[in-house]
């Protein structure tokens, strides 16, 4: 079956770095997405990886290892506004997104 | 980036009535639109996928006669919740896909969501 695993909740300190891991099992693979969702709002796109390696975009970076079925989202210089849920989603061979349950990130001052 | 609008942003209706939610892609043509439902503190649950001009594909467990989806054009899809009941109260989110190349072809752009409360 198809499955996405990510931690339910993480806590970090303002100004620090946090890494949110995601493992996936899909029928075929066409890329891995990370989305940010604040409470009561729709998800917003953060990153897309289809090749192995690290993609850096400002304070956020995303890493993919296709052979390991593994990705992580790295958030640097954490700010209070980064408190949100982070959703990992893998695209299968039918170009459908398989969603993880999301990781709630709590930032403490 | 691509913009998707959703209307209304929130709606309260009485049990037994029907509610229509519109999803529009404002600056691109959406070949595929997705409808999700999200309950509090839970992840997105895909309800159905619709391609312009064809019938929607519903996920297992989603009643197609209750959640009517129409994707009449490349910029508009509608979800109608028929004979709504309190258990249908949820956050309904649409997304659209339809870029021309690379990751744009696969990325889903989300609407702001519609919060439905059935009393």
């Amino acid at each position: 079956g198809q499955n996405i695993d990510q931690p339910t909740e993480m806590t970090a300190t303002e100004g620090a770095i946090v890494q949110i891991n995601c493992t996936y099992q899909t029928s075929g693979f066409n890329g891995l997405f990370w989305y940010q969702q604040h409470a009561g709002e729709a998800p917003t796109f953060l990153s897309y990886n289809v090749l192995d390696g690290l993609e850096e975009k400002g304070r956020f970076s995303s890493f993919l290892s296709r052979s390991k079925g593994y990705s992580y989202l790295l958030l640097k210089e954490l700010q209070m506004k980064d408190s949100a849920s982070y959703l990992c989603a893998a695209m299968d061979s039918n170009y459908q997104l398989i969603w993880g349950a999301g990781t709630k990130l709590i930032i403490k001052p | 980036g691509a913009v998707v609008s959703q209307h209304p942003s929130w709606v309260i209706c009485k049990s037994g009535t029907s509610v229509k939610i519109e999803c529009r892609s404002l600056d691109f043509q959406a070949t595929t639109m997705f409808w999700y439902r999200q309950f509090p503190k839970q992840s997105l649950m895909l309800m159905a996928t619709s391609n312009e001009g064809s019938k929607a594909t519903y996920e297992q467990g989603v009643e197609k006669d209750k959640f009517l989806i129409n994707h009449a054009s490349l910029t508009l899809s509608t979800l109608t919740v028929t004979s709504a009941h309190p258990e249908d109260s949820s956050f309904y989110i649409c997304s659209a896909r339809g870029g021309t190349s690379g990751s744009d072809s696969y990325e889903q752009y989300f609407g702001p969501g519609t919060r439905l409360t059935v009393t």
Side-chain angles (χ1 to χ4, degrees):
Chain A
Q2 307 200 100
N3 190 52
I4 307 288
D5 283 319
Q6 55 181 128
T8 304
E9 186 175 296
M10 297 183 72
T11 302
T13 305
E14 189 177 16
I17 299 173
V18 71
Q19 177 175 310
I20 303 174
N21 296 323
C22 170
T23 57
Y24 63 89
Q25 289 179 303
T26 55
S27 301
F29 180 74
N30 280 300
L32 193 292
F33 291 82
W34 283 96
Y35 283 83
Q36 180 190 61
Q37 185 179 25
H38 285 100
E41 298 180 12
T44 56
F45 171 79
L46 289 179
S47 67
Y48 170 72
N49 294 64
V50 68
L51 300 176
D52 286 352
L54 186 68
E55 297 268 352
E56 296 186 69
K57 192 184 294 184
R59 293 189 299 114
F60 293 5
S61 302
S62 56
F63 171 84
L64 176 68
S65 169
R66 294 178 66 138
S67 62
K68 295 181 180 179
Y70 167 70
S71 173
Y72 67 73
L73 180 69
L74 191 70
L75 294 76
K76 302 177 184 177
E77 301 170 17
L78 286 170
Q79 301 175 11
M80 297 303 293
K81 67 178 182 180
D82 297 329
S83 292
S85 286
Y86 291 85
L87 308 176
C88 170
M91 182 170 283
D92 67 11
S93 57
N94 293 320
Y95 299 98
Q96 299 284 56
L97 283 179
I98 311 302
W99 291 89
T103 298
K104 182 179 179 181
L105 178 62
I106 300 169
I107 310 295
K108 295 185 175 180
Chain B
V3 179
V4 175
S5 71
Q6 206 170 322
H7 177 80
S9 55
W10 61 271
V11 58
I12 301 173
C13 71
K14 291 185 177 180
S15 186
T17 61
S18 295
V19 174
K20 179 185 283 189
I21 303 170
E22 291 188 350
C23 178
R24 293 180 185 273
S25 57
L26 299 185
D27 52 2
F28 69 103
Q29 293 186 323
T31 52
T32 306
M33 285 187 169
F34 304 86
W35 286 96
Y36 293 88
R37 182 165 55 182
Q38 187 176 36
F39 293 104
K41 299 183 180 180
Q42 295 186 24
S43 189
L44 300 172
M45 187 194 83
L46 179 65
M47 298 175 67
T49 302
S50 73
N51 293 294
E52 184 265 340
S54 61
K55 290 184 178 180
T57 302
Y58 289 80
E59 296 299 303
Q60 195 171 10
V62 178
E63 300 173 59
K64 58 182 67 176
D65 294 330
K66 180 170 182 62
F67 299 99
L68 302 178
I69 292 172
N70 182 279
H71 192 164
S73 76
L74 285 172
T75 59
L76 174 64
S77 176
T78 60
L79 167 68
T80 302
V81 183
T82 62
S83 187
H85 288 98
E87 57 265 30
D88 298 324
S89 298
S90 187
F91 191 44
Y92 292 87
I93 310 172
C94 74
S95 69
R97 185 175 75 196
T100 56
S101 64
S103 64
D104 287 348
S105 301
Y106 309 138
E107 182 182 340
Q108 291 185 25
Y109 299 94
F110 284 86
T114 296
R115 188 161 303 282
L116 170 64
T117 302
V118 184
T119 61

